[in-house]
Amino acid sequence: MSTVLPTRHPRLSVRDIAARKGGDPIVCITSYSAPMAKLMDEHVDVLLVGDTMGMVLYGLDNTLSVTVDMMVNHGAAVCRGSQKACVIVDMPFGSYQGSPEAAFDAAAHIMAETGCAGVKLEGGCVMAETIEFLVARGIPVMGHVGMTPQSANVFGGFKTQGRSDEGARIVLEDAKAVEGAGAFSMVIEQTIEPVSRRITEEVSIPTIGIGASPACDGQIIVAEDILGIFQDFTPKFVKRYAELGTDVSEAVRTYAEEVRAGKFPGPNHVYGAKKS
Ligand code: KIV
């Protein structure tokens, strides 16, 4: 008699994601913790451990002080919490811009310690050599062009990219450089729609949009933004699918009220209570 074991589906790989160019939309979302990864895993293709974590979880003003250790700890948690999605971990500011060798050391450390499938790094032409260096040494790279938050100080803020002819040319060249360097996909962030659409048409790897275009091969969003948990500011490209922030506040208000009124814990929430 043979035992029928439940089928365990392997995780989506970066090759599976790359093969989706022009096909079914690639669904990506950020995740920073094991429980959230577990809840979202079955619904999405890519879980991105983004450095937005610095702002969303740690209350930082921007992503610049996120460290490799933070990415490793949260990346490992997301890998433990998920089974199906392709997990990509962001390389934090300062860990890869110095040299291709420094980038390799940081990326190899992140991959070895988390078990993720690849890393994401920001920048186009200027990072092409580094992307090529990493890919040649076994590190799959997701690129990130357009508005790259780690360079917000250079842009003068979180400014929409591609508005002028010159701006559009820069983003297009960046995207082509990322493609040419061997990235398996790229995020296009906060870049005007026609430019994002044109990039998607002209590159052979999937584009993942955020504030970009419905024509992109996939979309990414910060989970806490669409769930109504992160309410510090809401960019135009965010759509709210839930108001969990309000639910959390209401649940904790009721809990506090019940504790203060002596209603919680009740007999069902303690051990060995005498039956009355
Ligand atoms: O850090 C992040 O979460 C990101 C996405 C918003 C693309 O880079």
Side-chain angles (χ1 to χ4, degrees):
M1 201 176 85
S2 66
T3 316
V4 180
L5 294 170
T7 321
R8 189 159 180 268
H9 295 288
R11 270 185 196 278
L12 288 168
S13 69
V14 299
R15 291 185 69 122
D16 296 325
I17 301 302
R20 297 266 291 272
K21 175 74 189 173
D24 287 345
I26 304 164
V27 182
C28 315
I29 198 158
T30 60
S31 181
Y32 316 126
S33 72
M36 284 295 281
K38 200 168 181 180
L39 290 169
M40 299 190 292
D41 186 41
E42 66 174 305
H43 305 293
V44 302
D45 301 307
V46 174
L47 289 170
L48 172 72
V49 188
D51 61 357
T52 42
M53 177 180 74
M55 300 167 77
V56 176
L57 286 195
Y58 287 81
L60 299 169
D61 286 339
N62 53 49
T63 57
L64 301 185
S65 41
V66 172
T67 65
V68 169
D69 282 349
M70 286 157 81
M71 298 314 301
V72 163
N73 290 337
H74 290 270
V78 169
C79 286
R80 284 193 294 270
S82 61
Q83 294 189 333
K84 187 211 106 187
C86 179
V87 178
I88 303 298
V89 176
D90 256 353
M91 298 197 66
F93 182 62
S95 70
Y96 63 96
Q97 291 92 343
S99 68
E101 289 78 7
F104 178 81
D105 289 348
H109 178 62
I110 288 171
M111 290 203 50
E113 296 297 322
T114 64
C116 69
V119 297
K120 176 168 81 56
L121 58 85
E122 297 182 8
C125 298
V126 76
M127 293 314 303
E129 184 194 349
T130 297
I131 295 174
E132 202 167 337
F133 191 89
L134 296 184
V135 174
R137 286 160 183 76
I139 307 216
V141 176
M142 177 183 274
H144 186 154
V145 300
M147 202 288 288
T148 45
Q150 292 178 10
S151 303
N153 285 322
V154 177
F155 293 141
F158 297 101
K159 298 261 168 67
T160 304
Q161 300 296 299
R163 287 196 191 277
S164 64
D165 287 353
E166 176 61 359
R169 188 190 58 74
I170 290 172
V171 189
L172 189 59
E173 271 182 18
D174 279 343
K176 291 198 170 163
V178 167
E179 174 198 26
F184 73 91
S185 66
M186 76 180 82
V187 168
I188 306 176
E189 179 162 357
Q190 207 179 325
T191 297
I192 63 163
E193 201 279 334
V195 173
S196 306
R197 183 178 289 269
R198 180 161 169 210
I199 292 170
T200 303
E201 283 163 7
E202 294 193 14
V203 299
S204 59
I205 57 174
T207 58
I208 312 292
I210 174 163
S213 169
C216 287
D217 301 292
Q219 302 295 328
I220 179 144
I221 203 78
V222 171
E224 284 75 358
D225 279 342
I226 64 163
L227 297 175
I229 295 172
F230 185 68
Q231 299 167 324
D232 290 3
F233 60 88
T234 308
K236 176 186 163 90
F237 51 76
V238 170
K239 177 177 175 185
R240 282 277 174 82
Y241 289 85
E243 293 296 344
L244 300 192
T246 312
D247 290 351
V248 169
S249 178
E250 182 54 19
V252 175
R253 192 193 61 73
T254 309
Y255 161 73
E257 202 174 272
E258 291 196 1
V259 170
R260 290 189 183 112
K263 286 190 187 161
F264 179 86
N268 295 339
H269 305 112
V270 293
Y271 301 94
K274 288 203 183 98
K275 299 259 181 326
S276 55

